[in-house]
């Protein structure tokens, strides 16, 4: 999300965007102060220390800090419960503190404040881990508790379904970019104007929906079963999805197939749909499928039908969001999705935004609404859940594959340079572990705007 915003900002300014990785968040602060980068665009919250040292851009989403535990273990529902049981838990943990957090993070201040008021409270800081490392340790039962931002927790649950929220440590906190405090306010003024325009045009809301709009609900049983299927079933069927996905991301087609049949090529339903992609007989005939239980024909036919749906979606809808409208049409029918768009417009929403339309789809079950539509009654709530499930499965597949092959991600950063700074904390700044990204200072004569992004605290990545 931060990268897309930075890319659009650079395009608006007519300059080249240069991204540069830094493996500790603490490296970002001296990089900004020394002019190595122009902007920290890393999903960082507006902590007091950062506000005192740098100039924040507009807040563009909010996160809370959450204490996380493994499902099935004892859950403290508030700080008092944790403090009362802490001594016993530490004893069970061979005398070691039960909470560990990443270094160089805004979590340190939160836990330090708790310790000042409750001297018996203990925690450790792991300077050699990132948020994902500690969340994985919690999910595997090797660490009792850690702290992470709310969006990070929700995204991680798609890969580690045993992660669960114990309680909130903070209220929602604003996330923003940071610029160097300077007498020259020209870049800051342009940034304020840019974010203002993004809010007015709805493009910021569109990006939020794209990256974090699907994380609102979590089904533990379903997610756990899906994670198991990623190991037991996906390797068998992934070559088929890759072969026939064509212009679509094969992982999205895989997510669609799992939603339809749980990757069962012989799946059948009482309503007459069959096969891996659960095609109706008329739909199968329309895309040249003679045997719906043949997995190769089913996947090929399902992709062909999805392609037809995408082609019917109006061009007024953002190209990225066309897929969500197409998937809803795949499930409930194109006409009902158009009914939901018209209903959205009548209610003052934006019929071109999936975030607005998905909230109206369930209304197609209610007579006072569907009686005013062209195509009548529809199980719109199922269509909405259908799309959001596919988005979550898609997220899980991406995370699972990246974990297995961390060097084979979608983004090639081999040609990016790394900001090198001493590992010790900078005075007044928080200290972090690896995974941050930052932009490189432009060479003489180049026209660049540089930005940086960090994984540890970039909850929307």
């Amino acid at each position: 999300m931060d990268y897309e915003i930075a890319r659009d900002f650079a395009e608006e300014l007519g300059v080249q965007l240069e991204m540069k990785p830094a493996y500790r968040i603490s490296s970002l602060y001296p990089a900004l102060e020394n002019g190595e980068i122009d902007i920290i665009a890393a999903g960082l919250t507006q902590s007091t220390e950062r506000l005192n040292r740098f100039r924040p851009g507009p807040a563009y989403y909010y996160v809370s800090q959450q204490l996380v535990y493994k499902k099935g273990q004892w859950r403290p529902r508030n700080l008092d419960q944790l403090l009362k049981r802490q001594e016993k838990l530490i004893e069970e943990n061979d005398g070691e503190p039960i909470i560990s957090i990443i270094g160089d993070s805004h979590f340190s201040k939160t836990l330090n404040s708790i310790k000042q008021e409750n001297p018996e409270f203990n925690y450790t800081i792991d300077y050699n881990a990132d948020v994902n490392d500690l969340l994985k340790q919690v999910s595997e039962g090797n660490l009792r508790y850690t702290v992470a931002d709310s969006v990070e927790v929700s995204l991680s649950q798609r890969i580690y379904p045993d992660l669960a929220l114990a309680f909130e440590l903070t209220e929602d906190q604003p996330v923003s970019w940071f610029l160097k405090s300077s007498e020259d306010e020209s870049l800051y003024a342009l940034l304020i104007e840019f974010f203002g325009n993004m809010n007015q045009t709805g493009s910021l809301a569109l990006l939020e929906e794209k990256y974090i709009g699907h994380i609102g609900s979590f089904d533990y049983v379903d997610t756990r079963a899906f994670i198991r299927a990623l190991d037991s079933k996906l390797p068998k069927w992934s070559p088929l999805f890759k072969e026939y996905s064509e212009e679509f991301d094969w992982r999205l087609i895989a997510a669609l197939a799992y939603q339809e049949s749980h990757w069962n090529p012989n799946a059948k339903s009482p309503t007459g749909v069959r096969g891996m992609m659960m095609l109706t007989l008329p739909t199968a005939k329309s895309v040249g499928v003679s045997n719906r239980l043949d997995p190769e024909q089913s996947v090929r036919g399902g992709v062909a039908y999805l392609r037809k749906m995408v082609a019917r979606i109006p061009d007024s809808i953002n190209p990225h969001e066309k897929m969500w409208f197409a998937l809803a049409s795949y499930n409930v029918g194109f006409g009902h999705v158009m009914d939901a768009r018209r209903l959205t417009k009548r209610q003052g929403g934006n019929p071109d935004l999936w975030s607005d339309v998905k909230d109206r789809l369930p209304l197609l079950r209610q007579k006072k609404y569907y009686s005013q539509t062209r195509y009548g009654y529809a199980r719109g709530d199922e269509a909405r859940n259908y799309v959001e499930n596919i988005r979550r499965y898609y997220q899980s597949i991406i995370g699972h594959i990246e974990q297995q092959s961390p060097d084979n991600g979608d983004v090639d950063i081999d040609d990016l340079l790394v900001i090198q700074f001493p590992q010790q904390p900078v005075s007044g700044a928080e200290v972090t572990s690896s995974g941050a990204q930052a932009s490189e200072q432009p060479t003489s004569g180049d026209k660049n705007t540089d930005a940086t992004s960090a994984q540890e605290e970039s909850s929307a990545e």
Side-chain angles (χ1 to χ4, degrees), residues 229 233 236-237 241 254 256-269 273-279 292-295 298-299:
K233 293 184 178 181
K236 178 179 180 180
W237 299 115
F241 300 135
L256 168 59
Y258 185 84
Q259 172 64 27
E260 287 290 352
S261 68
H262 286 200
W263 296 329
N264 177 8
N266 298 314
K268 300 180 182 181
S269 86
V273 291
R274 300 283 188 273
M276 181 78 80
M277 305 298 280
M278 297 297 273
L279 303 174
R292 289 179 289 167
L293 298 182
D294 180 310
S298 184
V299 172

Side-chain angles (χ1 to χ4, degrees), residues 28 72 111 152-153 160 214 271 295-296 301 327 335 348 367 414 443:
L28 303 180
L111 297 193
E152 182 77 40
V153 173
Y160 311 123
H214 62 291
T271 58
E296 187 170 353
L327 288 171
K367 187 174 182 179
D414 290 342
T443 56

Side-chain angles (χ1 to χ4, degrees), residues 85-98:
R85 196 161 176 176
Q86 177 185 242
E87 185 175 345
K88 182 179 180 181
L89 293 172
I90 291 177
E91 185 177 325
E92 294 173 356
N93 201 39
D94 297 326
E96 296 294 325
I98 54 175

Side-chain angles (χ1 to χ4, degrees), residues 371-397:
S371 61
Q372 305 172 28
T373 64
R374 185 175 303 175
Y375 295 95
Y377 172 86
R379 294 190 293 271
D381 55 330
E382 294 181 8
R384 179 188 63 182
N385 295 337
Y386 175 90
V387 175
E388 301 302 273
N389 283 345
I390 292 173
R391 296 177 69 185
R392 286 188 281 269
Y393 294 145
Y394 182 41
Q395 179 78 35
S396 294
I397 294 173

